[in-house]
Coordinates of all heavy atoms in Angstrom, one line a residue:
M974 N 230.8 107.4 -122.6 CA 230.1 107.6 -121.3 C 229.3 108.9 -121.4 O 228.2 109.0 -120.8 CB 231.1 107.7 -120.2 CG 230.5 107.9 -118.9 SD 231.5 107.7 -117.4 CE 232.8 106.7 -117.9
S975 N 229.8 109.9 -122.1 CA 229.0 111.2 -122.2 C 227.7 111.0 -122.9 O 226.7 111.7 -122.7 CB 229.8 112.2 -122.9 OG 230.0 111.9 -124.3
S976 N 227.6 110.0 -123.8 CA 226.3 109.7 -124.5 C 225.3 109.2 -123.5 O 224.1 109.5 -123.6 CB 226.5 108.7 -125.6 OG 226.9 107.4 -125.1
D977 N 225.7 108.5 -122.5 CA 224.8 108.0 -121.4 C 224.2 109.2 -120.6 O 223.1 109.3 -120.3 CB 225.5 107.0 -120.5 CG 224.6 106.5 -119.4 OD1 223.4 106.2 -119.7 OD2 225.1 106.4 -118.3
V978 N 225.1 110.1 -120.3 CA 224.7 111.3 -119.6 C 223.8 112.2 -120.5 O 222.8 112.7 -120.0 CB 225.9 112.2 -119.2 CG1 225.5 113.5 -118.6 CG2 226.8 111.4 -118.2
E979 N 224.1 112.3 -121.7 CA 223.2 113.1 -122.6 C 221.8 112.4 -122.8 O 220.8 113.1 -122.8 CB 223.9 113.2 -124.0 CG 225.1 114.1 -124.0 CD 225.9 114.0 -125.3 OE1 225.5 113.2 -126.2 OE2 226.9 114.7 -125.4
Q980 N 221.8 111.1 -122.8 CA 220.5 110.4 -122.9 C 219.7 110.6 -121.6 O 218.5 110.9 -121.7 CB 220.7 108.9 -123.1 CG 221.2 108.6 -124.4 CD 221.5 107.1 -124.5 OE1 221.5 106.3 -123.6 NE2 221.9 106.6 -125.8
R981 N 220.3 110.6 -120.4 CA 219.6 110.8 -119.2 C 219.1 112.3 -119.1 O 218.0 112.5 -118.7 CB 220.5 110.5 -118.0 CG 220.8 109.1 -117.8 CD 221.3 108.7 -116.4 NE 222.3 109.7 -115.9 CZ 223.6 109.5 -115.9 NH1 224.1 108.5 -116.3 NH2 224.4 110.5 -115.3
A982 N 219.9 113.2 -119.5 CA 219.5 114.6 -119.5 C 218.4 114.9 -120.5 O 217.5 115.6 -120.2 CB 220.7 115.5 -119.9
K983 N 218.4 114.2 -121.6 CA 217.3 114.4 -122.6 C 216.0 113.8 -122.1 O 215.0 114.4 -122.2 CB 217.7 113.7 -123.9 CG 216.8 114.0 -125.1 CD 217.3 113.3 -126.3 CE 216.9 114.0 -127.5 NZ 217.4 113.4 -128.8
A984 N 216.1 112.7 -121.4 CA 214.9 112.1 -120.8 C 214.3 112.9 -119.7 O 213.1 113.0 -119.5 CB 215.2 110.7 -120.3
Q985 N 215.2 113.6 -118.9 CA 214.7 114.5 -117.8 C 214.3 115.8 -118.3 O 213.6 116.5 -117.5 CB 215.9 114.6 -116.8 CG 216.2 113.3 -116.1 CD 217.5 113.5 -115.4 OE1 218.2 114.4 -115.5 NE2 217.8 112.4 -114.6
G986 N 214.5 116.2 -119.5 CA 214.2 117.5 -120.0 C 213.0 117.5 -120.9 O 213.1 118.0 -122.0
A987 N 211.9 116.9 -120.5 CA 210.7 116.8 -121.4 C 210.1 118.1 -121.7 O 210.2 119.0 -120.8 CB 209.7 115.9 -120.7
D988 N 209.5 118.3 -122.8 CA 208.9 119.5 -123.2 C 207.6 119.7 -122.5 O 206.7 118.9 -122.6 CB 208.7 119.5 -124.8 CG 208.0 120.8 -125.2 OD1 208.2 121.9 -124.5 OD2 207.4 120.8 -126.3
L989 N 207.4 120.8 -121.7 CA 206.2 121.0 -120.9 C 205.5 122.2 -121.4 O 204.8 122.8 -120.6 CB 206.6 121.1 -119.4 CG 207.3 119.9 -118.8 CD1 207.7 120.2 -117.4 CD2 206.4 118.7 -118.9
S990 N 205.6 122.5 -122.7 CA 204.9 123.7 -123.1 C 203.4 123.5 -123.1 O 202.9 122.3 -123.2 CB 205.3 124.1 -124.5 OG 205.1 123.0 -125.4
G991 N 202.6 124.5 -123.0 CA 201.1 124.4 -123.0 C 200.5 124.4 -121.6 O 199.3 124.2 -121.5
G992 N 201.3 124.7 -120.6 CA 200.7 124.9 -119.3 C 200.5 123.6 -118.5 O 199.7 123.5 -117.6
D993 N 201.1 122.5 -119.0 CA 200.9 121.2 -118.3 C 201.5 121.3 -116.9 O 202.4 122.1 -116.6 CB 201.5 120.1 -119.1 CG 200.8 119.9 -120.4 OD1 199.6 120.3 -120.5 OD2 201.5 119.3 -121.3
A994 N 201.1 120.4 -116.0 CA 201.7 120.3 -114.7 C 203.1 119.9 -114.8 O 203.4 119.0 -115.6 CB 200.9 119.4 -113.8
V995 N 204.0 120.4 -113.9 CA 205.4 120.0 -113.9 C 205.5 118.7 -113.1 O 205.2 118.7 -112.0 CB 206.2 121.1 -113.3 CG1 207.7 120.7 -113.3 CG2 206.1 122.4 -114.1
P996 N 206.1 117.7 -113.8 CA 206.3 116.4 -113.0 C 207.4 116.6 -112.0 O 208.3 117.5 -112.2 CB 206.7 115.4 -114.1 CG 207.3 116.3 -115.2 CD 206.6 117.6 -115.2
P997 N 207.5 115.8 -111.0 CA 208.6 115.9 -110.0 C 209.9 115.6 -110.7 O 210.0 114.7 -111.6 CB 208.2 114.9 -109.0 CG 207.1 114.1 -109.5 CD 206.5 114.8 -110.6
M998 N 210.9 116.3 -110.3 CA 212.3 116.1 -111.0 C 213.0 115.0 -110.2 O 213.4 115.2 -109.1 CB 213.1 117.4 -111.0 CG 212.4 118.5 -111.8 SD 213.3 120.0 -111.7 CE 214.8 119.7 -112.6
R999 N 213.1 113.9 -110.8 CA 213.7 112.8 -110.1 C 214.9 112.2 -111.1 O 214.7 112.2 -112.3 CB 212.8 111.6 -109.9 CG 211.6 112.1 -109.0 CD 210.9 110.9 -108.4 NE 209.8 111.2 -107.6 CZ 209.7 111.7 -106.4 NH1 210.9 111.9 -105.8 NH2 208.6 112.0 -105.8
A1000 N 216.0 111.9 -110.4 CA 217.1 111.4 -111.2 C 216.7 109.9 -111.7 O 216.1 109.2 -111.0 CB 218.3 111.3 -110.4
D1001 N 217.2 109.6 -112.8 CA 217.0 108.2 -113.3 C 218.0 107.3 -112.7 O 218.0 107.2 -111.5 CB 217.1 108.2 -114.9 CG 216.0 109.0 -115.5 OD1 214.9 109.1 -114.9 OD2 216.1 109.5 -116.6
D1002 N 218.9 106.8 -113.5 CA 220.0 106.0 -113.0 C 221.2 106.8 -112.8 O 221.6 107.7 -113.6 CB 220.3 104.8 -113.9 CG 219.2 103.9 -114.1 OD1 218.5 103.6 -113.1 OD2 218.9 103.4 -115.2
H1003 N 221.9 106.6 -111.6 CA 223.1 107.4 -111.3 C 224.3 106.8 -112.0 O 224.4 105.6 -112.2 CB 223.3 107.4 -109.8 CG 222.2 108.2 -109.1 ND1 222.1 109.5 -109.1 CD2 221.2 107.7 -108.4 CE1 221.1 109.9 -108.4 NE2 220.5 108.8 -108.0
S1004 N 225.2 107.6 -112.3 CA 226.5 107.2 -112.9 C 227.4 106.7 -111.8 O 227.5 107.4 -110.7 CB 227.1 108.3 -113.7 OG 228.4 108.0 -114.0
N1005 N 228.1 105.7 -112.0 CA 229.1 105.2 -111.0 C 230.5 105.5 -111.5 O 231.5 104.8 -111.1 CB 228.9 103.8 -110.5 CG 228.8 102.8 -111.7 OD1 229.0 103.2 -112.8 ND2 228.6 101.6 -111.4
A1006 N 230.6 106.4 -112.5 CA 231.9 106.7 -113.0 C 232.7 107.5 -112.0 O 232.2 108.1 -111.1 CB 231.8 107.6 -114.3
S1007 N 234.1 107.5 -112.1 CA 234.9 108.2 -111.2 C 235.7 109.2 -112.0 O 236.6 108.7 -112.8 CB 235.8 107.3 -110.4 OG 236.6 108.0 -109.5
P1008 N 235.6 110.5 -111.9 CA 234.7 111.3 -111.1 C 233.3 111.1 -111.6 O 233.1 110.8 -112.8 CB 235.2 112.7 -111.2 CG 235.8 112.8 -112.5 CD 236.4 111.4 -112.7
A1009 N 232.3 111.3 -110.8 CA 230.9 111.1 -111.1 C 230.5 112.1 -112.3 O 230.9 113.3 -112.3 CB 230.0 111.4 -109.9
V1010 N 229.8 111.6 -113.2 CA 229.2 112.4 -114.3 C 227.7 112.4 -114.1 O 227.1 111.4 -114.2 CB 229.6 111.8 -115.7 CG1 229.0 112.6 -116.8 CG2 231.1 111.6 -115.8
E1011 N 227.2 113.6 -113.8 CA 225.8 113.7 -113.5 C 225.1 114.8 -114.4 O 225.8 115.7 -114.9 CB 225.6 114.2 -112.0 CG 226.1 113.2 -111.0 CD 226.0 113.6 -109.6 OE1 225.9 114.9 -109.4 OE2 225.9 112.8 -108.7
T1012 N 223.8 114.6 -114.6 CA 223.0 115.6 -115.3 C 222.7 116.7 -114.3 O 222.9 116.6 -113.1 CB 221.7 115.0 -115.8 OG1 220.9 114.6 -114.7 CG2 222.0 113.7 -116.7
P1013 N 222.3 117.9 -114.8 CA 222.0 119.0 -113.9 C 220.9 118.6 -112.9 O 220.9 119.0 -111.8 CB 221.5 120.1 -114.9 CG 222.2 119.8 -116.1 CD 222.3 118.3 -116.2
V1014 N 219.9 117.8 -113.3 CA 218.8 117.4 -112.4 C 219.4 116.5 -111.3 O 219.1 116.7 -110.1 CB 217.7 116.6 -113.2 CG1 216.7 116.0 -112.2 CG2 217.0 117.5 -114.2
E1015 N 220.3 115.6 -111.6 CA 220.9 114.7 -110.6 C 221.7 115.6 -109.6 O 221.8 115.3 -108.5 CB 221.7 113.7 -111.2 CG 220.9 112.6 -112.0 CD 221.8 111.7 -112.8 OE1 222.9 112.0 -113.1 OE2 221.2 110.6 -113.2
G1016 N 222.4 116.6 -110.1 CA 223.3 117.4 -109.3 C 222.5 118.3 -108.3 O 223.0 118.7 -107.3
R1017 N 221.2 118.5 -108.6 CA 220.4 119.3 -107.7 C 219.6 118.5 -106.7 O 218.9 119.1 -105.8 CB 219.3 120.1 -108.5 CG 219.9 121.3 -109.2 CD 218.7 122.1 -109.8 NE 218.0 121.5 -110.8 CZ 218.2 121.5 -112.1 NH1 219.2 122.2 -112.5 NH2 217.5 120.9 -113.0
Q1018 N 219.7 117.2 -106.7 CA 218.9 116.4 -105.8 C 219.4 116.7 -104.3 O 220.5 116.8 -104.0 CB 219.1 114.9 -106.1 CG 218.7 114.5 -107.5 CD 217.2 114.8 -107.7 OE1 216.4 114.5 -106.9 NE2 216.9 115.5 -108.8
G1019 N 218.4 116.7 -103.5 CA 218.7 117.0 -102.0 C 217.6 116.4 -101.2 O 216.6 115.9 -101.7
F1020 N 217.7 116.5 -99.9 CA 216.7 115.9 -99.0 C 215.6 116.9 -98.8 O 215.8 118.1 -98.7 CB 217.4 115.6 -97.7 CG 218.5 114.6 -97.8 CD1 219.8 114.9 -97.6 CD2 218.1 113.2 -98.0 CE1 220.8 114.0 -97.7 CE2 219.1 112.3 -98.1 CZ 220.5 112.7 -98.0
L1021 N 214.4 116.3 -98.8 CA 213.2 117.1 -98.5 C 212.4 116.4 -97.4 O 212.8 115.3 -97.0 CB 212.3 117.2 -99.8 CG 212.9 118.0 -100.9 CD1 211.9 117.9 -102.1 CD2 213.1 119.4 -100.6
G1022 N 211.4 117.0 -96.9 CA 210.5 116.3 -96.0 C 210.7 116.8 -94.6 O 211.0 118.0 -94.3
A1023 N 210.4 116.0 -93.6 CA 210.4 116.4 -92.2 C 211.7 116.9 -91.7 O 211.6 118.0 -90.9 CB 209.9 115.2 -91.3
P1024 N 212.8 116.4 -91.9 CA 214.1 117.0 -91.4 C 214.3 118.4 -91.8 O 214.7 119.3 -91.0 CB 215.2 116.1 -91.9 CG 214.5 114.8 -92.2 CD 213.1 115.1 -92.6
V1025 N 214.0 118.7 -93.1 CA 214.2 120.1 -93.6 C 213.2 121.0 -93.0 O 213.5 122.1 -92.6 CB 214.1 120.1 -95.1 CG1 214.2 121.5 -95.7 CG2 215.2 119.3 -95.7
L1026 N 212.0 120.5 -92.9 CA 210.9 121.3 -92.2 C 211.2 121.6 -90.8 O 211.0 122.7 -90.3 CB 209.6 120.6 -92.4 CG 208.3 121.3 -91.8 CD1 208.1 122.6 -92.5 CD2 207.1 120.4 -91.8
M1027 N 211.7 120.7 -90.1 CA 212.1 120.9 -88.7 C 213.2 121.9 -88.5 O 213.2 122.8 -87.6 CB 212.5 119.6 -88.0 CG 211.4 118.6 -87.8 SD 210.1 119.4 -86.9 CE 209.2 118.0 -86.3
V1028 N 214.2 121.9 -89.4 CA 215.3 122.9 -89.4 C 214.7 124.3 -89.7 O 215.1 125.3 -89.0 CB 216.4 122.5 -90.4 CG1 217.4 123.7 -90.6 CG2 217.1 121.3 -89.9
L1029 N 213.8 124.4 -90.7 CA 213.2 125.7 -91.0 C 212.4 126.2 -89.8 O 212.4 127.4 -89.5 CB 212.4 125.6 -92.3 CG 213.2 125.3 -93.5 CD1 212.2 125.0 -94.7 CD2 214.1 126.4 -93.8
I1030 N 211.6 125.4 -89.2 CA 210.7 125.8 -88.1 C 211.6 126.1 -86.9 O 211.4 127.1 -86.2 CB 209.7 124.7 -87.7 CG1 208.7 124.6 -88.9 CG2 209.0 125.0 -86.4 CD1 207.7 123.4 -88.7
G1031 N 212.6 125.3 -86.7 CA 213.6 125.6 -85.6 C 214.2 127.0 -85.8 O 214.4 127.8 -84.8
G1032 N 214.7 127.3 -87.0 CA 215.3 128.6 -87.2 C 214.3 129.7 -87.1 O 214.7 130.8 -86.5
L1033 N 213.1 129.5 -87.5 CA 212.0 130.6 -87.3 C 211.8 130.8 -85.8 O 211.6 131.9 -85.3 CB 210.7 130.1 -88.0 CG 209.6 131.2 -88.0 CD1 210.0 132.5 -88.6 CD2 208.4 130.6 -88.7
V1034 N 211.7 129.7 -85.0 CA 211.5 129.9 -83.6 C 212.6 130.6 -82.9 O 212.4 131.5 -82.1 CB 211.2 128.5 -82.9 CG1 211.3 128.5 -81.4 CG2 209.9 127.9 -83.4
L1035 N 213.9 130.3 -83.3 CA 215.0 131.0 -82.7 C 215.0 132.4 -83.1 O 215.4 133.3 -82.3 CB 216.3 130.3 -83.2 CG 216.6 128.9 -82.6 CD1 217.8 128.3 -83.2 CD2 216.8 129.1 -81.1
A1036 N 214.6 132.8 -84.3 CA 214.5 134.2 -84.8 C 213.5 134.9 -83.9 O 213.7 136.1 -83.5 CB 214.2 134.2 -86.3
V1037 N 212.4 134.3 -83.7 CA 211.3 134.9 -82.9 C 211.8 135.1 -81.4 O 211.6 136.2 -80.8 CB 210.0 134.1 -82.9 CG1 209.0 134.6 -81.9 CG2 209.4 134.2 -84.3
V1038 N 212.5 134.1 -80.9 CA 213.0 134.3 -79.5 C 214.0 135.4 -79.5 O 214.0 136.2 -78.5 CB 213.6 132.9 -79.1 CG1 214.5 133.1 -77.8 CG2 212.5 131.9 -78.8
A1039 N 214.9 135.5 -80.4 CA 215.9 136.5 -80.5 C 215.2 137.9 -80.6 O 215.7 138.9 -80.0 CB 216.9 136.3 -81.6
W1040 N 214.2 138.0 -81.4 CA 213.5 139.2 -81.6 C 212.9 139.7 -80.2 O 213.0 140.9 -79.8 CB 212.4 139.1 -82.6 CG 211.6 140.3 -82.9 CD1 211.2 141.3 -82.1 CD2 211.2 140.7 -84.2 NE1 210.5 142.2 -82.8 CE2 210.5 141.9 -84.1 CE3 211.3 140.1 -85.5 CZ2 209.9 142.6 -85.2 CZ3 210.8 140.8 -86.6 CH2 210.1 142.0 -86.4
F1041 N 212.2 138.8 -79.5 CA 211.6 139.1 -78.3 C 212.7 139.5 -77.2 O 212.5 140.4 -76.4 CB 210.7 138.0 -77.7 CG 209.4 138.0 -78.4 CD1 209.0 136.9 -79.1 CD2 208.5 139.1 -78.3 CE1 207.7 136.8 -79.7 CE2 207.3 139.0 -78.9 CZ 206.9 137.9 -79.6
A1042 N 213.8 138.8 -77.3 CA 214.9 139.1 -76.3 C 215.5 140.5 -76.6 O 215.7 141.3 -75.6 CB 216.0 138.1 -76.5
V1043 N 215.6 140.9 -77.8 CA 216.1 142.2 -78.2 C 215.1 143.3 -77.8 O 215.5 144.4 -77.2 CB 216.5 142.3 -79.7 CG1 216.7 143.8 -80.1 CG2 217.7 141.5 -80.0
E1044 N 213.8 143.1 -78.0 CA 212.8 144.0 -77.7 C 212.7 144.2 -76.2 O 212.4 145.3 -75.7 CB 211.5 143.6 -78.3 CG 211.4 143.7 -79.7 CD 211.4 145.1 -80.2 OE1 210.9 146.0 -79.5 OE2 211.9 145.4 -81.3
W1045 N 212.9 143.1 -75.4 CA 212.8 143.1 -74.0 C 214.0 143.9 -73.3 O 213.8 144.6 -72.4 CB 212.7 141.7 -73.4 CG 212.5 141.6 -72.0 CD1 211.5 142.1 -71.3 CD2 213.4 141.1 -71.0 NE1 211.6 141.9 -69.9 CE2 212.8 141.2 -69.7 CE3 214.6 140.5 -71.1 CZ2 213.5 140.8 -68.6 CZ3 215.3 140.0 -70.0 CH2 214.7 140.2 -68.7
I1046 N 215.2 143.7 -73.9 CA 216.4 144.3 -73.4 C 216.4 145.8 -73.8 O 216.8 146.7 -73.0 CB 217.6 143.6 -73.9 CG1 217.7 142.2 -73.3 CG2 218.9 144.4 -73.6 CD1 218.8 141.4 -73.8
A1047 N 216.0 146.2 -75.0 CA 216.1 147.5 -75.5 C 215.0 148.4 -75.0 O 214.0 148.2 -74.6 CB 216.1 147.6 -77.0

């Protein structure tokens, strides 16, 4: 089973020397072993897009509101 993980890690770790553009890091096939055996790229996968952007913008808006509230009170 570790040879499968090593093969996936090797495929995901292409040599990018020479200033080439970095391809998006996407996991190949996931392991369904128990406990899961994942490559470092698969372990870093997370959600991106509109939900994350909304949370970041919401946090920024709350920080600005708190800033103005503190300035107004003080």
Side-chain angles (χ1 to χ4, degrees):
M974 183 167 338
S975 65
S976 63
D977 181 41
V978 173
E979 291 169 0
Q980 289 174 354
R981 290 195 321 256
K983 190 177 208 179
Q985 293 168 351
D988 181 26
L989 298 175
S990 61
D993 296 336
V995 177
M998 296 175 69
R999 301 198 186 280
D1001 292 334
D1002 294 326
H1003 295 285
S1004 169
N1005 54 3
S1007 182
V1010 180
E1011 297 177 336
T1012 66
V1014 173
E1015 291 171 342
R1017 282 191 296 269
Q1018 299 301 313
F1020 298 108
L1021 296 175
V1025 174
L1026 181 62
M1027 291 304 201
V1028 168
L1029 292 173
I1030 290 173
L1033 184 60
V1034 167
L1035 288 175
V1037 169
V1038 167
W1040 184 319
F1041 282 119
V1043 168
E1044 290 293 328
W1045 184 62
I1046 293 173

